[in-house]
mmCIF file of all heavy atoms in Angstrom:
data_model
loop_
_atom_site.group_PDB
_atom_site.id
_atom_site.type_symbol
_atom_site.label_atom_id
_atom_site.label_comp_id
_atom_site.label_asym_id
_atom_site.label_seq_id
_atom_site.Cartn_x
_atom_site.Cartn_y
_atom_site.Cartn_z
ATOM 1 N N THR A 3 0.854 -1.187 0.000
ATOM 2 C CA THR A 3 0.000 0.000 0.000
ATOM 3 C C THR A 3 0.888 1.234 0.000
ATOM 4 O O THR A 3 1.752 1.391 0.869
ATOM 5 C CB THR A 3 -0.909 0.020 1.233
ATOM 6 O OG1 THR A 3 -1.698 -1.175 1.251
ATOM 7 C CG2 THR A 3 -1.830 1.227 1.200
ATOM 8 N N LEU A 4 0.685 2.120 -0.970
ATOM 9 C CA LEU A 4 1.514 3.310 -1.058
ATOM 10 C C LEU A 4 1.046 4.357 -0.055
ATOM 11 O O LEU A 4 -0.150 4.583 0.109
ATOM 12 C CB LEU A 4 1.450 3.900 -2.464
ATOM 13 C CG LEU A 4 1.924 3.022 -3.623
ATOM 14 C CD1 LEU A 4 1.834 3.797 -4.935
ATOM 15 C CD2 LEU A 4 3.334 2.529 -3.399
ATOM 16 N N PRO A 5 1.967 5.033 0.626
ATOM 17 C CA PRO A 5 1.574 6.168 1.471
ATOM 18 C C PRO A 5 0.896 7.247 0.638
ATOM 19 O O PRO A 5 1.135 7.378 -0.563
ATOM 20 C CB PRO A 5 2.916 6.663 2.034
ATOM 21 C CG PRO A 5 3.835 5.475 1.946
ATOM 22 C CD PRO A 5 3.405 4.744 0.703
ATOM 23 N N ARG A 6 0.066 8.039 1.268
ATOM 24 C CA ARG A 6 -0.622 9.135 0.587
ATOM 25 C C ARG A 6 0.362 10.290 0.408
ATOM 26 O O ARG A 6 1.010 10.727 1.368
ATOM 27 C CB ARG A 6 -1.836 9.577 1.395
ATOM 28 C CG ARG A 6 -2.877 8.465 1.557
ATOM 29 C CD ARG A 6 -4.017 8.920 2.454
ATOM 30 N NE ARG A 6 -4.770 10.004 1.845
ATOM 31 C CZ ARG A 6 -5.810 9.824 1.027
ATOM 32 N NH1 ARG A 6 -6.197 8.605 0.695
ATOM 33 N NH2 ARG A 6 -6.460 10.854 0.527
ATOM 34 N N THR A 7 0.473 10.769 -0.806
ATOM 35 C CA THR A 7 1.445 11.830 -1.100
ATOM 36 C C THR A 7 0.799 12.970 -1.883
ATOM 37 O O THR A 7 1.441 13.592 -2.725
ATOM 38 C CB THR A 7 2.636 11.275 -1.899
ATOM 39 O OG1 THR A 7 2.149 10.703 -3.129
ATOM 40 C CG2 THR A 7 3.402 10.230 -1.112
ATOM 41 N N GLU A 8 -0.449 13.263 -1.603
ATOM 42 C CA GLU A 8 -1.126 14.359 -2.311
ATOM 43 C C GLU A 8 -0.408 15.690 -2.036
ATOM 44 O O GLU A 8 0.255 15.873 -1.007
ATOM 45 C CB GLU A 8 -2.587 14.479 -1.873
ATOM 46 C CG GLU A 8 -3.485 13.355 -2.342
ATOM 47 C CD GLU A 8 -3.514 12.209 -1.357
ATOM 48 O OE1 GLU A 8 -2.690 12.226 -0.411
ATOM 49 O OE2 GLU A 8 -4.346 11.307 -1.520
ATOM 50 N N LEU A 9 -0.550 16.617 -2.980
ATOM 51 C CA LEU A 9 -0.009 17.947 -2.764
ATOM 52 C C LEU A 9 -0.716 18.605 -1.582
ATOM 53 O O LEU A 9 -1.917 18.391 -1.373
ATOM 54 C CB LEU A 9 -0.198 18.809 -4.009
ATOM 55 C CG LEU A 9 0.540 18.369 -5.282
ATOM 56 C CD1 LEU A 9 0.171 19.298 -6.432
ATOM 57 C CD2 LEU A 9 2.046 18.355 -5.076
ATOM 58 N N PRO A 10 -0.017 19.422 -0.800
ATOM 59 C CA PRO A 10 -0.681 20.165 0.272
ATOM 60 C C PRO A 10 -1.823 21.012 -0.300
ATOM 61 O O PRO A 10 -1.733 21.496 -1.432
ATOM 62 C CB PRO A 10 0.440 21.047 0.834
ATOM 63 C CG PRO A 10 1.708 20.347 0.456
ATOM 64 C CD PRO A 10 1.432 19.691 -0.857
ATOM 65 N N PRO A 11 -2.895 21.222 0.476
ATOM 66 C CA PRO A 11 -4.072 21.949 -0.037
ATOM 67 C C PRO A 11 -3.880 23.461 -0.051
ATOM 68 O O PRO A 11 -4.779 24.223 0.317
ATOM 69 C CB PRO A 11 -5.170 21.535 0.943
ATOM 70 C CG PRO A 11 -4.441 21.298 2.226
ATOM 71 C CD PRO A 11 -3.106 20.707 1.839
ATOM 72 N N VAL A 12 -2.710 23.902 -0.476
ATOM 73 C CA VAL A 12 -2.406 25.331 -0.584
ATOM 74 C C VAL A 12 -1.608 25.560 -1.856
ATOM 75 O O VAL A 12 -0.961 24.636 -2.377
ATOM 76 C CB VAL A 12 -1.591 25.841 0.629
ATOM 77 C CG1 VAL A 12 -2.410 25.766 1.907
ATOM 78 C CG2 VAL A 12 -0.290 25.064 0.778
ATOM 79 N N HIS A 13 -1.654 26.770 -2.378
ATOM 80 C CA HIS A 13 -0.816 27.132 -3.513
ATOM 81 C C HIS A 13 0.562 27.517 -2.989
ATOM 82 O O HIS A 13 0.680 28.251 -1.996
ATOM 83 C CB HIS A 13 -1.445 28.289 -4.289
ATOM 84 C CG HIS A 13 -2.682 27.897 -5.047
ATOM 85 N ND1 HIS A 13 -3.864 27.555 -4.420
ATOM 86 C CD2 HIS A 13 -2.914 27.788 -6.380
ATOM 87 C CE1 HIS A 13 -4.768 27.249 -5.335
ATOM 88 N NE2 HIS A 13 -4.232 27.385 -6.528
ATOM 89 N N ARG A 14 1.597 27.018 -3.673
ATOM 90 C CA ARG A 14 2.958 27.261 -3.197
ATOM 91 C C ARG A 14 3.841 27.794 -4.322
ATOM 92 O O ARG A 14 3.668 27.442 -5.493
ATOM 93 C CB ARG A 14 3.587 25.967 -2.660
ATOM 94 C CG ARG A 14 2.972 25.436 -1.390
ATOM 95 C CD ARG A 14 3.615 24.138 -0.979
ATOM 96 N NE ARG A 14 3.386 23.094 -1.971
ATOM 97 C CZ ARG A 14 4.163 22.026 -2.140
ATOM 98 N NH1 ARG A 14 5.243 21.875 -1.396
ATOM 99 N NH2 ARG A 14 3.869 21.124 -3.056
ATOM 100 N N ARG A 15 4.770 28.621 -3.920
ATOM 101 C CA ARG A 15 5.809 29.133 -4.813
ATOM 102 C C ARG A 15 7.141 28.677 -4.243
ATOM 103 O O ARG A 15 7.487 29.024 -3.106
ATOM 104 C CB ARG A 15 5.723 30.653 -4.895
ATOM 105 C CG ARG A 15 6.697 31.307 -5.868
ATOM 106 C CD ARG A 15 6.406 32.799 -5.939
ATOM 107 N NE ARG A 15 7.273 33.485 -6.887
ATOM 108 C CZ ARG A 15 8.446 34.025 -6.555
ATOM 109 N NH1 ARG A 15 8.873 33.966 -5.292
ATOM 110 N NH2 ARG A 15 9.186 34.624 -7.466
ATOM 111 N N ILE A 16 7.871 27.897 -5.019
ATOM 112 C CA ILE A 16 9.126 27.304 -4.566
ATOM 113 C C ILE A 16 10.262 27.914 -5.377
ATOM 114 O O ILE A 16 10.309 27.769 -6.607
ATOM 115 C CB ILE A 16 9.115 25.770 -4.738
ATOM 116 C CG1 ILE A 16 7.912 25.160 -3.993
ATOM 117 C CG2 ILE A 16 10.418 25.165 -4.238
ATOM 118 C CD1 ILE A 16 7.697 23.681 -4.294
ATOM 119 N N VAL A 17 11.175 28.590 -4.711
ATOM 120 C CA VAL A 17 12.310 29.240 -5.366
ATOM 121 C C VAL A 17 13.550 28.381 -5.142
ATOM 122 O O VAL A 17 13.819 27.947 -4.016
ATOM 123 C CB VAL A 17 12.524 30.657 -4.810
ATOM 124 C CG1 VAL A 17 13.705 31.337 -5.499
ATOM 125 C CG2 VAL A 17 11.251 31.490 -4.984
ATOM 126 N N PHE A 18 14.313 28.149 -6.226
ATOM 127 C CA PHE A 18 15.453 27.235 -6.118
ATOM 128 C C PHE A 18 16.591 27.683 -7.019
ATOM 129 O O PHE A 18 16.413 28.432 -7.984
ATOM 130 C CB PHE A 18 15.037 25.808 -6.490
ATOM 131 C CG PHE A 18 14.397 25.672 -7.849
ATOM 132 C CD1 PHE A 18 15.161 25.492 -8.995
ATOM 133 C CD2 PHE A 18 13.015 25.727 -7.988
ATOM 134 C CE1 PHE A 18 14.577 25.369 -10.245
ATOM 135 C CE2 PHE A 18 12.412 25.603 -9.233
ATOM 136 C CZ PHE A 18 13.196 25.423 -10.364
ATOM 137 N N ASP A 19 17.789 27.217 -6.698
ATOM 138 C CA ASP A 19 18.927 27.257 -7.611
ATOM 139 C C ASP A 19 19.001 25.917 -8.324
ATOM 140 O O ASP A 19 18.623 24.878 -7.757
ATOM 141 C CB ASP A 19 20.239 27.495 -6.850
ATOM 142 C CG ASP A 19 20.348 28.897 -6.283
ATOM 143 O OD1 ASP A 19 19.752 29.825 -6.855
ATOM 144 O OD2 ASP A 19 21.035 29.063 -5.258
ATOM 145 N N TRP A 20 19.490 25.907 -9.559
ATOM 146 C CA TRP A 20 19.651 24.648 -10.282
ATOM 147 C C TRP A 20 21.032 24.579 -10.907
ATOM 148 O O TRP A 20 21.659 25.587 -11.218
ATOM 149 C CB TRP A 20 18.565 24.460 -11.349
ATOM 150 C CG TRP A 20 18.561 25.492 -12.447
ATOM 151 C CD1 TRP A 20 17.846 26.650 -12.481
ATOM 152 C CD2 TRP A 20 19.321 25.460 -13.675
ATOM 153 N NE1 TRP A 20 18.099 27.343 -13.640
ATOM 154 C CE2 TRP A 20 19.002 26.633 -14.392
ATOM 155 C CE3 TRP A 20 20.218 24.547 -14.214
ATOM 156 C CZ2 TRP A 20 19.556 26.921 -15.635
ATOM 157 C CZ3 TRP A 20 20.780 24.835 -15.457
ATOM 158 C CH2 TRP A 20 20.446 26.003 -16.161
ATOM 159 N N GLU A 21 21.493 23.346 -11.076
ATOM 160 C CA GLU A 21 22.781 23.101 -11.739
ATOM 161 C C GLU A 21 22.670 21.833 -12.561
ATOM 162 O O GLU A 21 22.225 20.794 -12.063
ATOM 163 C CB GLU A 21 23.899 22.974 -10.710
ATOM 164 C CG GLU A 21 25.279 22.840 -11.333
ATOM 165 C CD GLU A 21 26.406 23.022 -10.334
ATOM 166 O OE1 GLU A 21 26.126 23.295 -9.149
ATOM 167 O OE2 GLU A 21 27.579 22.885 -10.748
ATOM 168 N N LEU A 22 23.046 21.923 -13.823
ATOM 169 C CA LEU A 22 22.936 20.817 -14.777
ATOM 170 C C LEU A 22 24.315 20.402 -15.246
ATOM 171 O O LEU A 22 25.172 21.244 -15.522
ATOM 172 C CB LEU A 22 22.100 21.251 -15.989
ATOM 173 C CG LEU A 22 22.069 20.295 -17.191
ATOM 174 C CD1 LEU A 22 21.233 19.063 -16.868
ATOM 175 C CD2 LEU A 22 21.529 21.000 -18.429
ATOM 176 N N ASP A 23 24.513 19.091 -15.368
ATOM 177 C CA ASP A 23 25.752 18.564 -15.929
ATOM 178 C C ASP A 23 25.405 17.324 -16.739
ATOM 179 O O ASP A 23 24.827 16.369 -16.206
ATOM 180 C CB ASP A 23 26.746 18.211 -14.813
ATOM 181 C CG ASP A 23 28.108 17.805 -15.361
ATOM 182 O OD1 ASP A 23 28.445 18.212 -16.482
ATOM 183 O OD2 ASP A 23 28.834 17.068 -14.668
ATOM 184 N N ASP A 24 25.688 17.342 -18.037
ATOM 185 C CA ASP A 24 25.508 16.142 -18.838
ATOM 186 C C ASP A 24 26.649 16.034 -19.839
ATOM 187 O O ASP A 24 27.621 16.781 -19.781
ATOM 188 C CB ASP A 24 24.117 16.089 -19.493
ATOM 189 C CG ASP A 24 23.960 17.015 -20.686
ATOM 190 O OD1 ASP A 24 24.934 17.679 -21.083
ATOM 191 O OD2 ASP A 24 22.837 17.074 -21.230
ATOM 192 N N ARG A 25 26.536 15.082 -20.795
ATOM 193 C CA ARG A 25 27.674 14.770 -21.653
ATOM 194 C C ARG A 25 27.937 15.854 -22.698
ATOM 195 O O ARG A 25 28.978 15.849 -23.340
ATOM 196 C CB ARG A 25 27.455 13.432 -22.358
ATOM 197 C CG ARG A 25 26.259 13.406 -23.305
ATOM 198 C CD ARG A 25 26.187 12.096 -24.063
ATOM 199 N NE ARG A 25 25.130 12.118 -25.052
ATOM 200 C CZ ARG A 25 23.956 11.507 -24.915
ATOM 201 N NH1 ARG A 25 23.694 10.847 -23.808
ATOM 202 N NH2 ARG A 25 23.055 11.563 -25.864
ATOM 203 N N GLU A 26 26.988 16.790 -22.893
ATOM 204 C CA GLU A 26 27.147 17.809 -23.921
ATOM 205 C C GLU A 26 27.306 19.219 -23.376
ATOM 206 O O GLU A 26 27.946 20.057 -24.011
ATOM 207 C CB GLU A 26 25.954 17.773 -24.886
ATOM 208 C CG GLU A 26 25.886 16.492 -25.703
ATOM 209 C CD GLU A 26 24.737 16.511 -26.683
ATOM 210 O OE1 GLU A 26 23.904 17.437 -26.601
ATOM 211 O OE2 GLU A 26 24.667 15.605 -27.522
#
């Protein structure tokens, strides 16, 4: 049985830094 993982019942804005590394 999978745990319940619904989105929280609020609107959210998530700010993040990102970094990508691939073969090209």
Side-chain angles (χ1 to χ4, degrees):
T3 302
L4 300 182
R6 298 176 65 88
T7 59
E8 289 89 350
L9 296 177
V12 294
H13 289 69
R14 292 178 297 156
R15 184 175 182 269
I16 304 171
V17 180
F18 55 87
D19 290 332
W20 62 268
E21 185 167 358
L22 170 72
D23 186 24
D24 76 3
R25 63 175 185 256
E26 294 182 351

